[in-house]
Amino acid sequence: MSVKTGQAHLGALLGTLVMAAAAPEAFGERGLYFAGAYLAIQLGASGILVHLLRGGEMQRPEAREAFWFGVSAVPWIAGALMHGWARGVLWALALAVEYVAAVLRLPTPGLGRGRATEFGYSGEHLADRCRQFFTIALGELILVTGLTLDQSGFQVATFAAVLAAFATTVLLWRVYFYSAGELQSKALAEASGPVHGRPVVFAHPILVAAVIAISISYKFVISHPLGRTPPAWIALIVGGPALFLAGRAFLEYAVFSRVSWDRPIGILVLAVISPAMSLVPPVGAASAAALVLAGVALVDTARGPRRGQPAAAG
C-alpha cells in the first residue's frame, strides 16, 4: 500500500466516523454533515485513485465512478439543504442515480460503458467486505443506544428500552450471520471465477438503511419509553425490522436463488401488528418488533443450516 493510498484510507475512516455521528440526525439538523461526509468519501477515493492510476488500465473505471458520484452529488447536497419529505425524495433520487448507473455499467461521456469484467469481485473479498459493512452498521446501533442512555438517565423504563435495543442488535446479528455470514460467505468464496456481485452488494445498503432506521427509532424509544407512540415512531420501530428482513431475503436470493419462508412471514407479521402499536408505549412497540425478529431467529435455528447451490450473483 502506497503512502497516498494509506492517506486515502485514513480519510475514508474519518469520513465514516462523521457519517456515523451524523446518521441519527441525518434527517434533522445534521443532514449536510451526513451527505457531505458520504460524498467526501466517494469522490475523494475515486479522485485519488484516478490520480494514482493515471495512464493505467484501471483509471477508466475509477473515472466513471467519479463522474457518477459527481452527478449524484447534486441531489445529495440539494436534499441536505431541504427539510422534511423533500430531503427524503432528493436523497432517494441520488441513490437511484447511483444504482441505475451501476446497473448500466456506468456509461460516461467520453469513456463509454464499463466492461462486465470490471464489475467482478473474488468471492472471498466480496464476502469479507459485506460482513464488515454490516458489522459497522451494527456498531452504530450500539453507539446510539449507549449515548441515548447516558443522556436520558438510568430509569427502570429506560433500562427496559435499552434491553430491547440490545436484544434487537443481537437478533440482527444472528439473523444476518447465521447463514448469510457463514454459508453465503462460503458460497461466494467457493464460486468458480470472479463473482459479479452487484445484487449482493446492492442488498447491503438496504440492510444498513434498516439498521439506521432502527437506530433512530431506539433514540426516540430510550428517550421517551412511556406514553403515546406517534405514527412516525411506529413507522421506524416496525419499518426498520421489516426493511431488514426484506434486505436479508434479497441477499439470500442473490446468492442461493431462494428465500426462506420466515423472512416474508416476519414482514407480514410486522405489518399486521403495526396498527396496534399506537395502543402501547414506545418500549412496548419496540419489544414487539424485537419478538418478531426473535421468532425469525428461532425458526432459522430450528430449521438448521442448508447448504444449497450458490446462484450466479450477477
Side-chain angles (χ1 to χ4, degrees):
M1 180 186 295
S2 69
V3 174
K4 291 183 179 179
T5 304
Q7 291 173 345
H9 280 84
L10 291 175
L13 179 62
L14 176 60
T16 302
L17 179 63
V18 174
M19 280 188 67
E25 294 292 336
F27 287 91
E29 298 179 353
R30 298 178 182 172
L32 192 58
Y33 291 102
F34 180 84
Y38 172 79
L39 291 173
I41 293 170
Q42 303 294 2
L43 288 172
S46 296
I48 290 173
L49 288 172
V50 167
H51 174 69
L52 293 177
L53 298 171
R54 60 187 182 277
E57 185 178 337
M58 293 303 298
Q59 185 185 36
R60 293 169 68 88
E62 295 300 332
R64 292 189 191 95
E65 287 196 10
F67 173 82
W68 281 105
F69 280 124
V71 172
S72 70
V74 176
W76 273 116
I77 297 300
L81 297 175
M82 303 295 286
H83 299 281
W85 63 268
R87 178 175 296 178
V89 170
L90 286 167
W91 281 3
L93 175 61
L95 289 173
V97 168
E98 294 176 8
Y99 272 57
V100 172
V103 168
L104 297 177
R105 301 209 300 265
L106 304 177
T108 305
L111 297 175
R113 298 175 65 194
R115 299 187 303 274
T117 53
E118 293 176 5
F119 296 87
Y121 306 87
S122 71
E124 185 176 0
H125 174 82
L126 180 61
D128 183 58
R129 291 297 177 264
C130 287
R131 286 196 303 267
Q132 293 176 5
F133 194 43
F134 186 74
T135 301
I136 290 171
L138 285 183
E140 169 64 16
L141 176 54
I142 296 171
L143 178 63
V144 168
T145 300
L147 291 176
T148 309
L149 172 62
D150 179 59
Q151 297 168 0
S152 302
F154 292 77
Q155 307 297 324
V156 174
T158 303
F159 268 119
V162 169
L163 287 175
F166 178 76
T168 298
T169 304
V170 173
L171 289 166
L172 293 174
W173 173 84
R174 173 65 175 175
V175 173
Y176 176 87
F177 279 100
Y178 180 64
S179 58
E182 183 179 355
L183 295 183
Q184 293 185 10
S185 296
K186 290 180 180 178
L188 287 171
E190 295 172 5
S192 58
V195 176
H196 298 289
R198 282 179 291 169
V200 176
V201 173
F202 288 173
H204 284 77
I206 299 174
L207 293 167
V208 171
V211 175
I212 291 175
I214 294 170
S215 298
I216 295 172
S217 74
Y218 272 111
K219 183 174 183 180
F220 297 145
V221 171
I222 296 172
S223 299
H224 305 283
L226 302 177
R228 178 177 171 273
T229 306
W233 293 17
I234 295 173
L236 289 170
I237 292 170
V238 177
L243 184 61
F244 169 77
L245 291 176
R248 179 61 181 77
F250 181 23
L251 177 61
E252 185 176 7
Y253 183 79
V255 177
F256 290 118
S257 288
R258 68 165 185 256
V259 175
S260 300
W261 60 267
D262 50 315
R263 292 6 169 184
I265 291 296
I267 295 172
L268 179 61
V269 171
L270 288 167
V272 169
I273 68 173
S274 60
M277 294 300 97
S278 60
L279 304 177
V280 298
V283 66
S287 299
L291 283 175
V292 175
L293 291 175
V296 173
L298 286 173
V299 171
D300 281 349
T301 302
R303 183 175 58 241
R306 296 180 299 165
R307 175 60 186 176
Q309 293 296 323

